[in-house]
Amino acid sequence: MAEPGNTSATPSKPAPWNDPAVRSVVFQVVAVAAVAYFFYVIFDNTFTNMEKRGITTGFAFLDNPSGFGILMSLVEYDESHTYGRTFLVGLLNTVLVSFLGIIVATALGFTIGVARLSSNWIISKLAAVYIEVLRNIPLLLQIFFWYFAVLQVLPGPRNSFSWNEAVFLSNRGLFTPAPVFESGSSLIFGALVVAVVTVIAVANWARKRQETTGQQFHTVYVSIGILLGLPFLAFLVSGMPVSIDYPALKGFNFRGGIRIIPELMALLWALSFYTAAFIAEIVRAGILAVEHGQSEAAHALGLRPAPTLKLVVIPQALRVIIPPLTSQYLNLAKNSSLATAIGYPDLVAVFMGTTLNQTGQAVEIVAMTMAVYLTISLSISTLMNWYNKRKALVER
Amino acid sequence: MSETQANVQSAPDVSTLAVEIKDMHKWYGEFHVLKDINLEVKQGERIVICGPSGSGKSTLIRCINRLEEHQQGQIMVQGIELTDDLKKIDEIRREVGMCFQHFNLFPHLTVLENCTLALIWVRKMPKVQAEEIAMNYLERVKIPDQAKKFPGQLSGGQQQRVAIARSLCMSPKIMLFDEPTSALDPEMIKEVLDVMVELAHEGMTMLCVTHEMGFAKMVADRVIFMDVRQIVEENEPNEFFNNPQHDRTKLFLSQILDH
Amino acid sequence: MTNFREIADMPPPANTVGVVGWVRKNLISTPMNALFTFIGLYLVYLLLPPLLDWTVFSANFAGEDQTACTGTGACWVFIKARITLFMYGFYPSEEYWRMNLVFALLAATFLPQFFDAFPYKKVFGIFSVTGFPIIAYILISGGMLGLEHVETDRWGGLSLTLILSFVGIVAALPIGVVLALGRRSSMPVIRTMCIVFIELWRGVPLISVLFMASVMLPLFLPEGVTFNKLARAMIGIVMFQSAYMAEVIRGGLQAIPKGQYEAASALGLSYWKSMSFIVLPQAMKLVIPGIVNTFIALFKDTTLVLIIGLFDILGSVQSAIVDPVWRGVSTEGYVFAAMCFWVFCFSMSRYSMALERKLHTGHKR
Ligand SMILES: Nc1ncnc2c1ncn2[C@@H]1O[C@H](COP(=O)(O)OP(=O)(O)OP(=O)(O)O)[C@@H](O)[C@H]1O
Ligand SMILES: [Mg+2]
């Protein structure tokens, strides 16, 4: 240490118990030990308890037949399928309601957020009332309201509300006509694929043409035209191979068509209406975050209000909107687990509820369920961080 | 390049006034913010507007391209009267460029995209040609090398020069400046003023709100002094600075020249 | 050029101000705007009269039981008849005074916090998170000081909702502070552990946490040690809430300029001293609006406990609705519960917004 000529350059070492580096290592080792001991105790207790209660461990139960039916399933399922299958059914139902909820909530939320900023006093105030009412009432209460106070008290199938004898609404759910694709309808799907490819090509061509000639092209309208037109053309050419299956009253319930169970409807409405209130506030804040000077500068350059929105305001507002928006999407997905309360068979209801009750394998089931939600959350927030880094405004 | 020439080709008719304001009044709600404004600006004339804070300078100049609307009187720009008519507003905004105190560049677009945005979407110009014009103007404000950067990466002076280039790209016949240098550090003021002086020497019609009296003396044809939300005095720079007529003007000049 | 004459302020043209000006500007400035006004008014016309009719004009207020509800409107008699259930759950009626006393005490300790001029804010604040919970527990649970013991499964209604959210917020706060400091710690092991803890709870739905607390907690504990249902729910809520709290507080810590940290260590303060005397007080001030917002979220989330069999206000309403003594009163029950939540959450959110505005202006100066 004390080499001649070098003494002043090396600070003298403090006593180990005063050295921050040593302290920090000791502290961390102690913390790890404490946490490890904590988990050891928990595992030990859990194994003892489970042994005593005769609960089996491991994931073998996933291959056992479940023996219970599920109200709604996107894949083939009945009592003879395994618990592994119930997991899948629950997961798909969770994904379904989250996906639909996100679409409806986004559309509604953006509309209401923009309405809140409207220069029209009545529209703005109506939007404010919507936001303040919906977001200050617990979601579970709203789910109950839609399910027990609205859908359950609808008349039975025999007296259901009907629209053109095609769509029926009763306490058994919403029945709508379903398209039945017969042989030959593959042409329609082919046409759809072709349409998508064409639209991409058209968009590319329009951009190129703009760059060389300056002419704008109504890409949006043309795209919609192609997307609807081509499959319709294929439908006509292939001899209209699609028939419609109308729901019809048979006995005490409807047969045929598509059935949307009231549990799904109630959950979907409540989730979307509730989340839309939050999204509306996010959208409003995002648009307000774009300084007024930005649209003034655009106006001064001769841009009309619509292109100003499209080219200047929205791109900047989106940077502010998207991060909290994704966390709302995550909230919606997590909140879909309230399905349990009204019996919509989502992951938590069928797996953490029924399956756990039947098998008693709490540890495995809770871990699997939580892992699903964690995976969704973590992957989306990773994606978000990446997006934020990429889109962050370059500052000095 | 050919396009720039093409835009200038409809050279201003010297007989029409560039800006003509008659008995104009404006209110913000109940607040009478511009009172009885009368102003005539000829083609190619350079006007400097000065006056104490809150005297309505910004409001006046923003009325000229209809960022604010007036409630009484008449404003004519290049012979077009400003009304609610959206077509007329479009036409006028094509004739008038504006630079703001805080630049108001679009932070999500590069410098070049800032300049080409309006050319592409308002003038419906091919991108290549728009970029050519934009580069041309960026060269004139001496920052062609920054074209690919984002506004946030530039200094204040550079940003303001980009803002000027962005307006010039639309080949306006009149340029409005609202305190273009007052948000800048002293060493950056000069680089912006140099660009403005050059512009003035090229014969651009300019209305400029500024407290840079050196600039006023050098290029202004007329100086307009505003106070209490009215035009108090207007005169050519020599007279204005050496022989102010009104007590308010004297007081204002003594205050800003002291510094 | 000396003909300048100062003009006195004049009133604006009549059609730009007053009622006419307001209507022109806000309702019919363009044809599109006028159309929107029409649509808006039509919506109001569609919704408001039936709503008022149901809640007030055709509603039944007087009476004792179902037979009193004859109108087409709401049957508020139901709420009147069941109000003690909604407020106190199955708490014995002769002991209601204990609950009342607790909530009066709660109001007395918290209300002064809203008035800037009140001199003992700090004392009251500290009491509300230390002394008050103990007194409240003794009063509500009883079993000592001559108070009759009341089992937790008899607690319920709005008072249970308040108890759950109060415990949730007060217990989550210190844990949240520790987690937030840990997440910003320079020690990698500590930081990792805190991040894992926080992200784990934030990544899963509360309902799964409650399930976990109710089915797994008994497995974790050694033989003989048991928690009742309420305590298990509380543990779940506190874990969950502290993760959210940690993130709010971390936001505050991040907003404190680096100079403050440096100044504190320049003064020779140790880590804990500089945190507790310099950094945390400033950060906590910044995050109060955020804490209020998490509190609102927690308050709404407490309804989830009904899924694991506790009777909070929504749970009691639900049980009263399915009770065959009353029929077709579900809407009334939900509206009543919604009103309770709404009044509370709305005023809290206004409070947090006002605080935010105050903080904002305070910073500008
Ligand atoms: N949008 C507005 N609403 C209401 N009052 C306004 C608005 N904008 C400006 N004012 C008021 O109008 C008056 C004139 O404002 P203006 O910005 O034109 O002044 P100015 O001469 O440009 O001052 P400065 O030198 O500070 O920029 C001021 O008293 C200001 O407070
Ligand atoms: Mg100004």
Side-chain angles (χ1 to χ4, degrees):
Chain A
M1 267 281 122
E3 272 178 54
N6 209 10
T7 37
S8 57
T10 325
S12 59
K13 237 179 152 38
W17 55 89
N18 274 338
D19 185 341
V22 175
R23 274 188 173 196
S24 135
V25 170
V26 170
F27 189 63
Q28 296 185 58
V29 169
V30 170
V32 170
V35 170
Y37 180 70
F38 177 76
F39 277 108
Y40 165 75
V41 170
I42 281 188
F43 278 121
D44 191 45
N45 285 338
T46 310
F47 280 115
T48 333
N49 284 329
M50 294 214 298
E51 230 161 66
K52 212 164 279 162
R53 296 182 200 182
I55 302 172
T56 42
T57 49
F59 291 93
F61 75 98
L62 288 176
D63 294 326
N64 298 344
S66 68
F68 66 92
I70 297 179
L71 192 55
M72 178 190 139
S73 168
L74 293 179
V75 289
E76 198 192 324
Y77 176 85
D78 60 46
E79 290 82 355
S80 62
H81 282 93
T82 61
Y83 286 123
R85 190 81 167 178
T86 64
F87 176 77
L88 179 69
V89 169
L91 181 60
L92 287 178
N93 283 342
T94 290
V95 170
L96 174 74
V97 73
S98 309
F99 177 74
L100 294 177
I102 284 173
I103 291 175
V104 180
T106 309
L108 197 61
F110 271 72
T111 314
I112 292 170
V114 171
R116 181 74 186 87
L117 288 173
S118 161
S119 63
N120 186 301
W121 186 84
I122 290 187
I123 295 290
S124 161
K125 283 291 172 281
L126 281 175
V129 168
Y130 176 94
I131 294 170
E132 291 302 350
V133 169
L134 272 279
R135 72 170 180 175
N136 285 318
I137 295 174
L139 175 59
L140 185 60
L141 178 41
Q142 297 190 31
I143 293 176
F144 276 3
F145 174 78
W146 289 116
Y147 187 64
F148 292 113
V150 177
L151 294 176
Q152 291 273 290
V153 299
L154 287 177
R158 284 167 183 279
N159 304 315
S160 58
F161 298 112
S162 84
W163 182 76
N164 278 354
E165 292 297 314
V167 180
F168 298 91
L169 181 68
S170 70
N171 61 6
R172 296 298 188 85
L174 183 72
F175 292 82
T176 66
V180 178
F181 296 99
E182 287 146 20
S183 64
S185 52
S186 55
L187 191 64
I188 300 176
F189 293 104
L192 194 65
V193 173
V194 172
V196 170
V197 173
T198 318
V199 163
I200 295 171
V202 165
N204 249 326
W205 167 81
R207 210 189 59 238
K208 288 247 171 60
R209 188 175 81 143
Q210 202 291 320
E211 282 173 11
T212 47
T213 69
Q215 288 163 10
Q216 303 285 350
F217 187 73
H218 290 293
T219 317
V220 175
Y221 300 120
V222 173
S223 303
I224 294 175
I226 294 174
L227 281 178
L228 295 179
L230 270 186
F232 185 69
L233 207 67
F235 169 70
L236 294 181
V237 168
S238 57
M240 304 195 240
V242 180
S243 63
I244 306 241
D245 178 22
Y246 289 97
L249 193 61
K250 295 251 167 65
F252 291 110
N253 207 348
F254 286 92
R255 287 284 155 82
I258 296 174
R259 176 183 180 205
I260 302 172
I261 56 173
E263 289 79 11
L264 175 59
M265 266 199 287
L267 187 64
L268 185 60
W269 286 353
L271 275 177
S272 339
F273 291 169
Y274 181 75
T275 314
F278 290 90
I279 293 180
E281 274 297 283
I282 291 169
V283 168
R284 176 172 102 107
I287 294 178
L288 285 181
V290 181
E291 282 173 42
H292 193 52
Q294 291 289 313
S295 33
E296 279 189 345
H299 292 324
L301 285 170
L303 285 161
R304 285 241 177 143
T308 300
L309 264 182
K310 174 180 154 194
L311 300 168
V312 176
V313 179
I314 291 177
Q316 293 186 56
L318 276 185
R319 281 158 207 260
V320 183
I321 290 173
I322 285 182
L325 186 64
T326 8
S327 80
Q328 282 307 323
Y329 289 168
L330 275 180
N331 280 347
L332 189 147
K334 285 188 274 175
N335 282 336
S336 70
S337 59
L338 293 185
T340 318
I342 53 168
Y344 172 76
D346 82 319
L347 180 63
V348 170
V350 298
F351 205 59
M352 238 185 187
T354 320
T355 306
L356 196 155
N357 275 343
Q358 291 196 356
T359 62
Q361 292 197 268
V363 179
E364 293 85 351
I365 286 175
V366 170
M368 276 176 77
T369 315
M370 285 192 162
V372 166
Y373 285 102
L374 266 181
T375 315
I376 298 174
S377 297
L378 291 182
S379 40
I380 290 188
S381 52
T382 314
L383 204 70
M384 214 57 264
N385 287 341
W386 170 81
Y387 172 87
N388 281 344
K389 279 221 184 77
R390 217 174 64 101
K391 282 284 170 173
L393 287 182
V394 188
E395 305 272 358
R396 267 150 72 83
Chain B
M1 275 315 297
S2 56
E3 186 72 20
T4 17
Q5 247 90 55
N7 282 329
V8 181
Q9 131 246 311
S10 58
D13 182 356
V14 195
S15 57
T16 49
L17 289 165
V19 178
E20 185 180 9
I21 302 177
K22 273 194 230 152
D23 306 327
M24 192 265 276
H25 290 256
K26 168 165 181 63
W27 286 264
Y28 279 127
E30 295 279 344
F31 180 56
H32 199 171
V33 65
L34 287 177
K35 300 175 182 174
D36 195 30
I37 304 294
N38 283 286
L39 179 67
E40 290 185 353
V41 181
K42 295 193 207 55
Q43 303 292 350
E45 216 177 357
R46 270 98 39 185
I47 309 278
V48 163
I49 303 171
C50 60
S53 181
S55 55
K57 308 177 297 285
S58 301
T59 312
L60 171 60
I61 175 165
R62 288 156 57 84
C63 280
I64 295 174
N65 67 348
R66 196 72 174 185
L67 288 180
E68 303 287 354
E69 52 187 68
H70 58 284
Q71 280 85 28
Q72 235 175 59
Q74 216 183 16
I75 301 180
M76 311 263 282
V77 177
Q78 301 288 9
I80 308 162
E81 184 177 356
L82 273 174
T83 57
D84 282 337
D85 189 343
L86 288 174
K87 278 256 155 47
K88 295 243 167 87
I89 296 176
D90 277 352
E91 271 177 53
I92 281 162
R93 286 184 178 159
R94 215 169 295 150
E95 309 284 334
V96 182
M98 180 158 187
C99 283
F100 300 85
Q101 181 175 6
H102 297 288
F103 333 131
N104 296 357
L105 292 176
F106 306 129
H108 61 299
L109 301 177
T110 62
V111 165
L112 190 62
E113 286 165 342
N114 262 278
C115 295
T116 54
L117 185 78
L119 288 174
I120 292 174
W121 292 92
V122 180
R123 290 256 195 274
K124 311 267 187 255
M125 195 179 275
K127 194 172 159 201
V128 200
Q129 200 181 343
E131 283 178 351
E132 205 177 297
I133 292 174
M135 283 313 292
N136 184 30
Y137 281 106
L138 285 175
E139 256 156 50
R140 279 181 53 183
V141 299
K142 305 185 184 61
I143 36 175
D145 45 329
Q146 313 282 5
K148 292 281 178 248
K149 286 196 184 165
F150 284 91
Q153 295 169 297
L154 304 185
S155 76
Q158 290 172 325
Q159 291 193 41
Q160 192 60 293
R161 284 184 282 154
V162 172
I164 295 175
R166 179 174 75 176
S167 303
L168 291 180
C169 283
M170 298 298 286
S171 2
K173 302 205 181 75
I174 305 169
M175 279 294 292
L176 308 175
F177 293 88
D178 189 0
E179 308 201 34
T181 55
S182 60
L184 298 178
D185 295 337
E187 69 268 26
M188 297 172 189
I189 292 180
K190 191 176 170 304
E191 59 188 52
V192 172
L193 285 182
D194 283 349
V195 170
M196 290 170 64
V197 169
E198 206 174 295
L199 204 57
H201 289 329
E202 285 166 18
M204 172 70 77
T205 312
M206 292 165 70
L207 278 99
C208 187
V209 176
T210 182
H211 292 149
E212 296 297 330
M213 290 307 146
F215 173 78
K217 282 177 192 160
M218 190 171 2
V219 303
D221 295 313
R222 242 186 314 155
V223 180
I224 288 176
F225 173 65
M226 289 187 75
D227 196 358
V228 289
R229 295 164 264 144
Q230 280 177 262
I231 293 181
V232 173
E233 183 167 346
E234 52 176 296
N235 220 329
E236 46 129 351
N238 249 334
E239 276 290 294
F240 182 84
F241 289 112
N242 300 328
N243 185 20
Q245 302 289 307
H246 204 280
D247 290 342
R248 287 180 184 276
T249 321
K250 286 175 197 158
L251 181 70
F252 175 74
L253 285 176
S254 74
Q255 275 168 356
I256 64 163
L257 294 180
D258 274 352
H259 292 291
Chain C
M1 289 280 169
T2 48
N3 51 4
F4 169 73
R5 169 180 64 82
E6 198 175 330
I7 301 172
D9 282 357
M10 292 187 289
N15 62 2
T16 62
V17 288
V19 177
V20 180
W22 186 88
V23 168
R24 276 172 62 114
K25 184 157 168 279
N26 294 302
L27 297 180
I28 49 171
S29 62
T30 60
M32 195 63 160
N33 204 339
L35 178 70
F36 280 143
T37 303
F38 178 75
I39 295 174
L41 285 175
Y42 184 66
L43 268 177
V44 172
Y45 166 77
L46 274 188
L47 296 176
L48 203 57
L51 195 70
L52 282 178
D53 186 59
W54 185 80
T55 47
V56 184
F57 301 124
S58 303
N60 293 99
F61 295 91
E64 295 294 311
D65 51 25
Q66 181 103 58
T67 52
C69 289
T70 48
T72 50
C75 177
W76 297 125
V77 185
F78 164 64
I79 305 295
K80 219 169 67 181
R82 286 280 183 267
I83 190 76
T84 55
L85 175 71
F86 299 160
M87 291 293 127
Y88 306 99
F90 301 108
Y91 208 75
S93 56
E94 59 278 15
E95 310 291 339
Y96 284 166
W97 64 271
R98 283 154 57 177
M99 278 287 183
N100 294 344
L101 187 59
V102 166
F103 289 110
L105 204 58
L106 181 70
T109 51
F110 264 98
L111 282 185
Q113 301 295 324
F114 299 103
F115 300 101
D116 286 333
F118 187 73
Y120 308 112
K121 269 169 83 167
K122 222 173 225 159
V123 182
F124 273 57
I126 291 172
F127 173 74
S128 66
V129 295
T130 53
F132 170 73
I134 299 171
I135 299 177
Y137 178 74
I138 295 174
L139 271 172
I140 296 177
S141 173
M144 55 185 102
L145 303 179
L147 294 170
E148 188 201 332
H149 179 58
V150 181
E151 284 292 338
T152 53
D153 50 12
R154 304 186 67 177
W155 305 8
L158 183 62
S159 40
L160 181 66
T161 300
L162 289 172
I163 291 169
L164 280 170
S165 26
F166 183 82
V167 170
I169 205 83
V170 170
L173 199 60
I175 306 179
V177 168
V178 172
L179 286 171
L181 289 176
R183 190 164 186 174
R184 286 171 61 77
S185 154
S186 54
M187 294 178 255
V189 173
I190 304 291
R191 193 169 58 232
T192 317
M193 289 195 311
C194 289
I195 291 178
V196 168
F197 185 94
I198 293 172
E199 295 304 331
L200 191 79
W201 295 123
R202 275 161 42 92
V204 298
L206 177 57
I207 183 71
S208 67
V209 176
L210 289 174
F211 265 123
M212 179 177 163
S214 69
V215 299
M216 276 171 78
L217 213 56
L219 293 177
F220 291 163
L221 297 170
E223 259 299 67
V225 184
T226 52
F227 281 140
N228 61 41
K229 217 193 272 175
L230 180 64
R232 294 202 297 255
M234 277 179 179
I235 291 172
I237 287 177
V238 169
M239 291 293 114
F240 186 77
Q241 199 60 24
S242 56
Y244 281 84
M245 195 61 88
E247 284 302 276
V248 171
I249 292 168
R250 186 167 72 108
L253 290 174
Q254 267 165 348
I256 303 296
K258 222 171 133 213
Q260 294 287 328
Y261 290 87
E262 284 161 4
S265 43
L267 284 172
L269 295 178
S270 72
Y271 174 81
W272 288 110
K273 277 195 185 134
S274 69
M275 280 303 154
S276 35
F277 298 128
I278 312 277
V279 177
L280 271 177
Q282 295 185 48
M284 291 314 270
K285 213 180 231 165
L286 288 182
V287 299
I288 292 176
I291 294 179
V292 175
N293 288 339
T294 35
F295 181 64
I296 296 173
L298 168 65
F299 189 69
K300 289 184 291 177
D301 277 348
T302 53
T303 48
L304 268 61
V305 298
L306 78 87
I307 297 177
I308 57 165
L310 293 170
F311 286 92
D312 75 318
I313 177 160
L314 185 54
S316 350
V317 166
Q318 188 70 8
S319 72
I321 287 171
V322 296
D323 181 358
V325 176
W326 290 86
R327 299 212 148 272
V329 287
S330 52
T331 311
E332 286 83 347
Y334 294 135
V335 168
F336 171 76
M339 275 312 290
C340 292
F341 279 105
W342 189 84
V343 167
F344 199 84
C345 295
F346 182 73
S347 43
M348 291 297 276
S349 77
R350 285 292 130 139
Y351 172 64
S352 122
M353 274 157 71
L355 270 182
E356 232 163 289
R357 224 170 292 132
K358 209 166 86 185
L359 277 176
H360 224 69
T361 48
H363 265 261
K364 267 186 193 151
R365 242 178 281 136

